[in-house]
Amino acid sequence: GQNIDQPTEMTATEGAIVQINCTYQTSGFNGLFWYQQHAGEAPTFLSYNVLDGLEEKGRFSSFLSRSKGYSYLLLKELQMKDSASYLCAVIDSNYQLIWGAGTKLIIKP
Amino acid sequence: ETGVTQTPRHLVMGMTNKKSLKCEQHLGHNAMYWYKQSAKKPLELMFVYSLEERVENNSVPSRFSPECPNSSHLFLHLHTLQPEDSALYLCASSQEWGQQETQYFGPGTRLLVL
């Protein structure tokens, strides 16, 4: 079966750096998304990786290793507003989007 | 108004009620989606419409009935739901279906079935 694994919950301190990991086992691979979802709000697009390596976008970076079936989202200079759930999703060979259960990130002052 | 909107934002209904969820996208996209989001579970894809034609129905009970009258609007008709159907129902859209497209989500309807 197809599976996306990410930690259920993480806690970090304001101003620090946190890395949220995502591992996947899917039938084929056509890209990986990261979304942010604040409580009670819509998931919003953060990043898309299809080639190996690091994509940087401001305080957020996303890394992909296709050979390892692994991605991470790196958040720098954490702010209280970064408290949210972070969803990892993979496009399989049939262009179906397979979702992880999300990682709830709690930022403490 | 821009993006994807959903109404109502919150809904409480009894098991014998009939209600409808509405989604509207203002992005000019051709594909629209209904998802169910339950706590600590992955998003569950329910239905996909591409150019107003249903292209996926992932074994969803018949008490959920989608309707797509045009490429900007999507409805989810609810009838004789069960308490386990209580969840956040998210609508999304993308430029096309079946490609490496980013999906854009509405804020969801929080549904409670009593």
Side-chain angles (χ1 to χ4, degrees):
Chain A
Q2 309 207 85
N3 194 52
I4 308 285
D5 286 315
Q6 46 181 138
T8 302
E9 187 173 299
M10 299 181 70
T11 302
T13 304
E14 190 176 16
I17 299 173
V18 71
Q19 177 175 311
I20 302 174
N21 296 326
C22 171
T23 58
Y24 61 89
Q25 302 89 37
T26 56
S27 55
F29 178 85
N30 278 301
L32 184 145
F33 289 98
W34 283 97
Y35 279 81
Q36 180 191 59
Q37 185 179 23
H38 285 101
E41 297 185 13
T44 55
F45 169 77
L46 286 178
S47 66
Y48 173 70
N49 294 68
V50 66
L51 299 176
D52 290 349
L54 187 68
E55 297 273 347
E56 297 187 71
K57 192 183 295 185
R59 293 189 299 114
F60 291 11
S61 302
S62 56
F63 172 83
L64 174 66
S65 169
R66 288 173 296 170
S67 62
K68 295 181 179 179
Y70 168 69
S71 173
Y72 67 73
L73 181 69
L74 190 70
L75 291 73
K76 302 177 183 177
E77 301 169 15
L78 286 170
Q79 302 175 11
M80 297 303 292
K81 66 179 183 179
D82 297 329
S83 293
S85 289
Y86 291 86
L87 311 180
C88 174
V90 171
I91 307 173
D92 70 8
S93 57
N94 294 318
Y95 292 95
Q96 303 296 307
L97 197 55
I98 312 301
W99 292 87
T103 299
K104 182 178 180 180
L105 178 63
I106 299 168
I107 309 297
K108 295 186 174 179
Chain B
E1 195 163 10
T2 59
V4 182
T5 59
Q6 291 186 243
T7 55
R9 293 294 310 274
H10 301 273
L11 179 62
V12 179
M13 58 187 290
M15 289 189 283
T16 58
N17 292 158
K18 289 184 181 180
K19 297 287 184 183
S20 294
L21 310 184
K22 178 182 176 182
C23 175
E24 183 173 1
Q25 58 97 358
H26 309 267
L27 301 169
H29 288 168
N30 291 321
M32 295 187 77
Y33 309 77
W34 278 117
Y35 284 94
K36 177 183 179 183
Q37 187 176 35
S38 303
K40 299 184 179 180
K41 294 176 71 174
L43 289 178
E44 298 174 48
L45 181 64
M46 301 175 72
F47 302 103
V48 182
Y49 278 81
S50 176
L51 297 171
E52 302 154 47
E53 297 290 325
R54 190 190 305 184
V55 294
E56 273 200 40
N57 173 2
N58 287 351
S59 302
V60 178
S62 59
R63 57 186 182 268
F64 295 92
S65 174
E67 178 189 1
C68 187
N70 56 62
S71 60
S72 298
H73 292 85
L74 187 64
F75 294 90
L76 188 63
H77 304 298
L78 314 174
H79 176 50
T80 59
L81 295 191
Q82 304 298 310
E84 60 264 30
D85 297 322
S86 298
L88 181 67
Y89 288 85
L90 291 165
C91 173
S93 70
S94 64
Q95 187 63 54
E96 304 295 342
W97 170 74
Q99 300 180 30
Q100 293 152 298
E101 300 282 346
T102 300
Q103 293 184 18
Y104 296 86
F105 286 84
T109 296
R110 175 70 63 184
L111 174 66
L112 177 62
V113 181
L114 300 177

